[in-house]
Amino acid sequence: MATSRSKYFLAGIIPYIIWGTMSIPLRNIKGFPPQEILYYRIFVSIVMIWATILLFRREALKKDIIFIKSLSVAKKNRLLLLTVISAFLITGNWFTYIYAVNSISLKSAAFAYMVCPLLTALCGFLILKEKLTKAKIIAMIIALVSIVLLATGSFREVIWAVVIASFYASYVIVLKVIKDVDKFNFLGLQLILSGLIMLPMYLISSNPFPVNGFFWSHIFLIAIVFTIIPLFLNSYALLGMPSSALGILIYLNPIVAFAVAFLYFKEKIDMHQIFAYLLLLLSIVIFNAQLIKSVVYKKQ
């Protein structure tokens, strides 16, 4: 039983560690424009994900098709609208993240994913009318103080971090609204729509088709190792552990990303930034205090 649980826990940890190191392949192809990296990441991901769906997930696809056919016209239109919005949001998140990593700083990209769960909760409160406890409100106020402190040091970095987080937080809110559809299949559809969104820009782009082997090896690496594999592991982990536990594990992403920024890429950090990051860490602990207690209690 313990071995079975450890398998799911390991499957839950690995995706966030992988995503936390994504800046390394992105920085390796820094010489290419961010929109070009995004074009080919989307196009290759479409091929890889649909190959995976058609080879290994046909039953799940059939169930989704039957479910969509059973919906009323109004519900089909609503699902279509939400799918288009989600595709726009995830495309925006990917582009701003790639741009931040290669043109702003790794700290801004990592900071975005520390702020993201808090911003998602705020959006849930404002849009979905989800309840916020006093502890969570206090955590958000502390996070806001942290953001203001960081803004006094580098307003540009903070703006980019908030933009990245806003795209992803809004995307998560849309996913919460969409129910009864397989998330992996849904991602495949989103990627097709993302490709259609980017296609006009791609067609009018004057950049020639890249023939650089180093570039393509990294694009396939990003599509397979940083997109498909983590999503598969994430879905597998949810079969054997509560989503609340995965909600805590998401913070491994920015922790690993910060470690990569400071230890691997040697980005500088001053005491002012350290204090701001510690404040944000405090806000995260307060925000998730109840969740942490429940997960620890279940383990015991």
Side-chain angles (χ1 to χ4, degrees), residues 9 16 117-118 121 133 135-136 139 176 238 241-251 283-300:
F9 187 71
Y16 296 111
L118 301 171
T133 62
K136 289 186 176 183
K176 281 187 176 185
L238 279 170
M241 64 186 296
S243 57
S244 58
L246 282 180
I248 294 172
L249 292 178
I250 193 174
Y251 291 105
S283 75
I284 288 166
V285 172
I286 294 171
F287 189 87
N288 292 286
Q290 197 62 41
L291 192 58
I292 293 167
K293 282 180 185 176
S294 66
V295 172
V296 171
Y297 179 75
K298 280 181 182 178
K299 281 188 179 180
Q300 290 174 344

Side-chain angles (χ1 to χ4, degrees), residues 19-20 22-23 26-27 93-116 156-165 168 253-258 261 267 277:
W19 285 326
M22 189 174 170
S23 57
L26 285 177
R27 273 286 174 94
N93 171 259
W94 284 359
F95 176 77
T96 50
Y97 179 81
I98 292 168
Y99 185 85
V101 166
N102 284 347
S103 304
I104 308 296
S105 75
L106 294 176
K107 288 179 293 184
S108 65
F111 182 66
Y113 286 98
M114 287 191 86
V115 175
C116 195
R156 186 169 177 242
E157 283 189 4
V158 171
I159 285 295
W160 273 97
V162 171
V163 169
I164 295 166
Y168 193 74
N253 181 336
I255 290 167
V256 173
F258 275 119
E267 284 204 357
Y277 290 135

Side-chain angles (χ1 to χ4, degrees), residues 1 14 35 48 52 55 64 72 85 89 92 101 131-132 154-155 168 175-176 192 198 202 222-223 229 260 269 279 300:
M1 187 71 173
I14 291 172
Q35 68 273 18
M48 299 304 295
T52 304
L55 286 172
D64 282 343
S72 65
I85 292 170
L89 292 171
V101 166
K131 290 182 179 180
L132 286 176
S154 177
F155 184 72
Y168 193 74
L175 285 189
K176 281 187 176 185
I192 289 174
M198 299 303 294
Y202 175 75
I222 290 167
I229 291 175
V260 169
I269 183 169
L279 265 184
Q300 290 174 344

Side-chain angles (χ1 to χ4, degrees), residues 248-279:
I248 294 172
L249 292 178
I250 193 174
Y251 291 105
L252 283 172
N253 181 336
I255 290 167
V256 173
F258 275 119
V260 169
F262 303 135
L263 301 177
Y264 186 84
F265 289 108
K266 310 297 182 186
E267 284 204 357
K268 292 180 181 178
I269 183 169
D270 55 35
M271 289 305 297
H272 168 267
Q273 289 175 319
I274 290 173
F275 179 69
Y277 290 135
L278 287 174
L279 265 184

Side-chain angles (χ1 to χ4, degrees), residues 5 12 60 69 73 83 147 162 263 294:
R5 283 183 182 177
K69 283 182 177 179
V73 174
T83 306
I147 291 168
V162 171
L263 301 177
S294 66

Side-chain angles (χ1 to χ4, degrees), residues 176-224:
K176 281 187 176 185
V177 175
I178 298 170
K179 295 174 182 177
D180 302 315
V181 177
D182 184 275
K183 292 294 186 288
F184 197 83
N185 293 341
F186 186 67
L187 178 67
L189 182 57
Q190 284 176 328
L191 282 171
I192 289 174
L193 292 173
S194 295
L196 292 174
I197 290 168
M198 299 303 294
L199 192 58
M201 293 175 63
Y202 175 75
L203 292 174
I204 62 174
S205 172
S206 58
N207 293 326
F209 186 82
V211 292
N212 187 303
F214 185 74
F215 172 78
W216 280 108
S217 66
H218 278 70
I219 290 295
F220 275 93
L221 181 72
I222 290 167
I224 298 169

